[in-house]
Amino acid sequence: MEHFRIVIIGGGPIGIACGLEAQKKGLSYVILEKGPIVNSLFNYPINMQFFSSSEKLEIDNIPFISKEAKPKRNEALEYYRRIVTSNNLNIRLFERVTHVEKQNEQFSITTNKKNYTADKVIIATGFYDIPNTIDVPGENLPKVSHYYNDPHFYASQKLAVIGASNSAIDAALECYRKGSEVSLIIRGPEVGQRVKYWVRPDIINRIEEGSIKAYYDTTVKEIRDHSLVLNTPEGEKEIENDFVLALTGYKPNFKFLEAVGIELTNDEKKLPKYNPDTMETNIGGLYLAGVICGGMETHKWFIENSRVHAQMIVSSILKDEVISNQ
């Protein structure tokens, strides 16, 4: 059983930033990542372009050079991968954490491969693992996906995209341009206001010209093998359909947080309890970093405004170390 000063759960940009900061301060650490390096970014759509400019995605002041002001997925993968390899970060890939428990003053961490102990634990697991389901009959059919990758797959098919945020709008536009017959199912009265400012006019124009059919104030009642049943303002409507992309957002693994003992607010936001000055949770020595801090408010935290968590957490750990040695 290996022991580390810090075990970092999650090998995304913020987990990597925490590893870099621990390494600079001479603290033993390990990053445990259930998939490849920056697993969530790897699973983003193949043509995705970030909302943020490249300098806002930088960690540890390491320059991120991209062809355009706003980098694309493949450039981000290259950037974060090179940080890991060039700095020889201690990261264990394809190793899923299954259990964390505090025993006396140490943590016991169990993964699908081995066991660890640690003085401190940082959870930086993001929110991209668990989709928000729409909970209707037929949602488990093979034609339905909560993740979107490549528009080529949907060429010459009748595709319904459920959602009004960036992921849904990007998918609708890309698939339309690759030859899909796209229907956009939007629960509210308009395209989401937080859609990227250079994309929103594009989707509105495509809707207005009739290239993409939008159903506003509409929900899905049932998904069938070859059709969708919709609840529209005009009543129930059935449309022909080959594939469904239910891009209705994602959420953190709340069951994991609760199993560890982290308190969540008793409302729809499910905000985890932590000290905003140190990022330490209600469990002493257990910290949160990155977008997971926002609970269901997944639009509040990004790489650009949570990369500071690494310095805040390591500074808190070092301060505790000084106090305990006095």
Side-chain angles (χ1 to χ4, degrees):
M1 184 180 294
E2 291 184 85
H3 177 81
F4 293 94
R5 188 79 173 92
I6 307 172
V7 164
I8 302 163
I9 304 173
I14 305 306
I16 290 171
C18 291
L20 280 170
E21 192 66 21
Q23 186 165 282
K24 285 196 304 181
K25 299 302 183 183
L27 302 175
S28 66
Y29 72 94
V30 64
I31 304 171
L32 303 175
E33 168 55 59
K34 69 175 185 180
I37 297 168
V38 290
N39 179 66
S40 292
L41 299 191
F42 176 76
N43 286 300
Y44 280 179
I46 194 168
N47 298 320
M48 195 210 79
Q49 187 170 28
F50 284 84
F51 188 92
S52 301
S53 54
S54 58
E55 73 272 8
K56 293 182 178 179
L57 301 176
E58 293 174 355
I59 55 177
D60 200 39
N61 295 316
I62 300 170
F64 183 173
I65 308 301
S66 59
K67 292 181 181 178
E68 302 176 52
K70 300 178 187 300
K72 295 189 175 180
R73 167 188 172 274
N74 64 320
E75 293 175 308
L77 293 181
E78 178 71 17
Y79 173 71
Y80 295 115
R81 181 174 67 247
R82 289 295 299 272
I83 287 178
V84 169
T85 57
S86 298
N87 290 278
N88 295 313
L89 292 186
N90 186 19
I91 186 168
R92 313 280 172 89
L93 302 173
F94 301 98
E95 187 164 351
R96 180 187 293 271
V97 174
T98 58
H99 185 72
V100 177
E101 183 178 356
K102 188 172 185 181
Q103 300 173 337
N104 298 320
E105 293 303 312
Q106 283 192 346
F107 290 90
S108 173
I109 301 97
T110 304
T111 76
N112 61 325
K113 294 184 178 180
K114 61 188 305 183
N115 297 317
Y116 302 87
T117 57
D119 298 323
K120 310 288 184 180
V121 171
I122 302 173
I123 299 177
T125 49
F127 67 90
Y128 199 58
D129 293 339
I130 304 173
N132 293 322
T133 57
I134 57 175
D135 300 323
V136 300
E139 187 171 5
N140 294 323
L141 288 172
K143 64 186 273 188
V144 181
S145 176
H146 292 280
Y147 294 90
Y148 164 68
N149 183 25
D150 193 322
H152 175 83
F153 183 84
Y154 302 102
S156 300
Q157 299 294 292
K158 291 179 173 63
L159 172 67
V161 180
I162 305 171
S165 61
N166 278 297
S167 57
I169 301 308
D170 283 345
L173 286 169
E174 282 194 0
C175 292
Y176 152 69
R177 292 196 163 102
K178 297 301 181 184
S180 300
E181 183 180 322
V182 178
S183 297
L184 191 56
I185 317 300
I186 297 177
R187 183 174 55 183
E190 62 178 353
V191 172
Q193 288 292 332
R194 287 196 294 269
V195 170
K196 289 173 281 196
Y197 65 84
W198 67 93
V199 173
R200 198 170 190 274
D202 188 3
I203 187 64
I204 291 173
N205 288 335
R206 302 294 76 73
I207 292 169
E208 289 180 350
E209 73 185 15
S211 298
I212 292 175
K213 173 64 176 177
Y215 294 90
Y216 295 113
D217 296 309
T218 295
T219 58
V220 176
K221 179 179 181 181
E222 183 181 357
I223 302 172
R224 297 174 178 172
D225 287 332
H226 304 291
S227 66
L228 282 184
V229 180
L230 307 177
N231 290 316
T232 78
E234 292 77 36
E236 189 174 295
K237 181 179 180 65
E238 186 171 1
I239 62 173
E240 292 184 7
N241 173 258
D242 297 309
F243 289 98
V244 175
L245 284 171
L247 303 178
T248 50
Y250 308 92
K251 57 188 174 183
N253 189 338
F254 293 118
K255 289 184 179 180
F256 177 74
L257 296 182
E258 290 177 317
V260 175
I262 296 174
E263 296 177 9
L264 306 176
T265 57
N266 189 28
D267 56 23
E268 70 280 357
K269 294 182 180 180
K270 292 186 176 294
L271 298 171
K273 184 176 182 179
Y274 65 91
N275 182 335
D277 295 322
T278 64
M279 309 309 295
E280 189 172 21
T281 68
N282 57 286
I283 307 291
L286 179 61
Y287 298 81
L288 296 181
V291 296
I292 196 170
C293 300
M296 286 298 294
E297 294 186 315
T298 54
H299 61 282
K300 291 292 183 70
W301 290 102
F302 307 94
I303 297 170
E304 62 189 78
N305 66 353
S306 62
R307 54 189 175 176
V308 297
H309 292 171
Q311 294 175 324
M312 294 168 62
I313 293 169
V314 172
S315 293
S316 175
I317 291 172
L318 290 172
K319 186 177 179 180
D320 285 348
E321 191 173 65
V322 170
I323 293 173
S324 63
N325 289 333
Q326 288 179 345

